[in-house]
Amino acid sequence: MSAAASSRNLGARLWSSYNRQLDARPLVTKSFTSFFGFIVGDGVAQVASGEKYDYWRTARFATYGILVHGPLSHVWYGILDKNVMPRTPKSPAAVVIKMALDQLLLSPIGICLFYSIIKSMEGQSDKITQTLKEKFWPTLLAGYAVWPLAHVINFRFIPNSQRVLYINAVNVCWNVFLCKLASSGPPDESRIKAASRQQSGGEELKAEV
């Protein structure tokens, strides 16, 4: 058997096993799907930054994925499927309504949860309000450039059981943005003052010369 055939067989077995777990343990499987999705997203973000890798940061995002994002997504999609035109769930009207509800209701709530929980895990719960003031609208508006189309595809073409997997695939790119934004902060005032003093000193030296 060739290496390519072996790889295809392995992929087919893994896919089959994943779907069996979705049927048997949907909540747990989707939670672990988000767990690995956030690990990959933050890992890519950190490697791309070129800075020293922060394993605790990845652990925080992975914790959010498995305890919040996965379970919340599982419950939310179940609510939408049960209550929004359940007899014609793939119709254009159903798809648009689900997408609109997701973006207008869940997205703002999810952003608040994300930053609040991440800041709490960082031991900076006192900065939650300020973080939300700085990052809520940039995150929401950036999301509106990605998620409406992603969810039209989600609700129209993706099987119900595999929506969290699909969302996490999209999330790999989105999480790069989200993890970087969550880990960024306002400019360090001490560094700004030091740079200013250094610049002033250089100007004085030039003046003396």
Side-chain angles (χ1 to χ4, degrees):
M1 183 181 294
S2 67
S6 298
S7 297
R8 285 195 298 269
N9 288 337
L10 177 60
R13 289 196 298 271
L14 289 173
W15 180 248
S16 177
S17 175
Y18 179 78
N19 281 292
R20 286 198 301 271
Q21 291 302 315
L22 276 176
D23 292 335
R25 304 174 184 86
L27 177 58
V28 172
T29 304
K30 292 172 186 178
S31 297
F32 274 98
T33 300
S34 290
F35 173 78
F36 288 109
F38 272 82
I39 288 176
V40 173
D42 183 59
V44 172
Q46 292 203 50
V47 170
S49 73
E51 299 177 357
K52 183 179 179 181
Y53 200 94
D54 184 348
Y55 291 95
W56 285 110
R57 171 180 142 175
T58 299
R60 288 191 293 271
F61 290 128
T63 300
Y64 176 84
I66 194 171
L67 295 182
V68 182
H69 182 269
L72 180 61
S73 298
H74 170 72
V75 172
W76 174 245
Y77 293 141
I79 291 173
L80 291 180
D81 289 335
K82 183 178 179 180
N83 294 281
V84 178
M85 303 178 68
R87 294 184 179 180
T88 55
K90 303 291 186 181
S91 67
V95 169
V96 170
I97 292 171
K98 289 177 182 179
M99 181 274 291
L101 289 172
D102 185 271
Q103 293 302 290
L104 296 175
L105 294 181
L106 187 64
S107 286
I109 294 172
I111 291 169
C112 292
L113 281 174
F114 176 77
Y115 287 121
S116 298
I117 292 171
I118 292 298
K119 281 299 173 185
S120 296
M121 286 193 287
E122 290 175 350
Q124 300 180 9
S125 56
D126 57 313
K127 296 183 179 179
I128 290 174
T129 301
Q130 184 61 34
T131 299
L132 289 173
K133 287 180 179 179
E134 294 173 356
K135 299 180 179 181
F136 176 84
W137 286 109
T139 306
L140 186 67
L141 295 176
Y144 284 162
V146 175
W147 289 111
L149 177 58
H151 279 302
V152 167
I153 296 172
N154 183 23
F155 294 124
R156 179 65 180 87
F157 299 107
I158 306 300
N160 298 359
S161 62
Q162 294 172 359
R163 283 181 180 157
V164 174
L165 176 62
Y166 164 78
I167 289 302
N168 275 278
V170 180
N171 260 343
V172 170
C173 295
W174 173 246
N175 284 349
V176 170
F177 166 79
L178 196 60
C179 295
K180 291 185 73 171
L181 188 62
S183 299
S184 66
D188 189 329
E189 292 184 3
S190 62
R191 292 183 181 179
I192 294 175
K193 291 178 180 178
S196 177
R197 287 196 298 270
Q198 185 176 3
Q199 183 178 2
S200 298
E203 290 174 352
E204 291 173 1
L205 182 60
K206 289 179 181 178
E208 291 174 359
V209 173

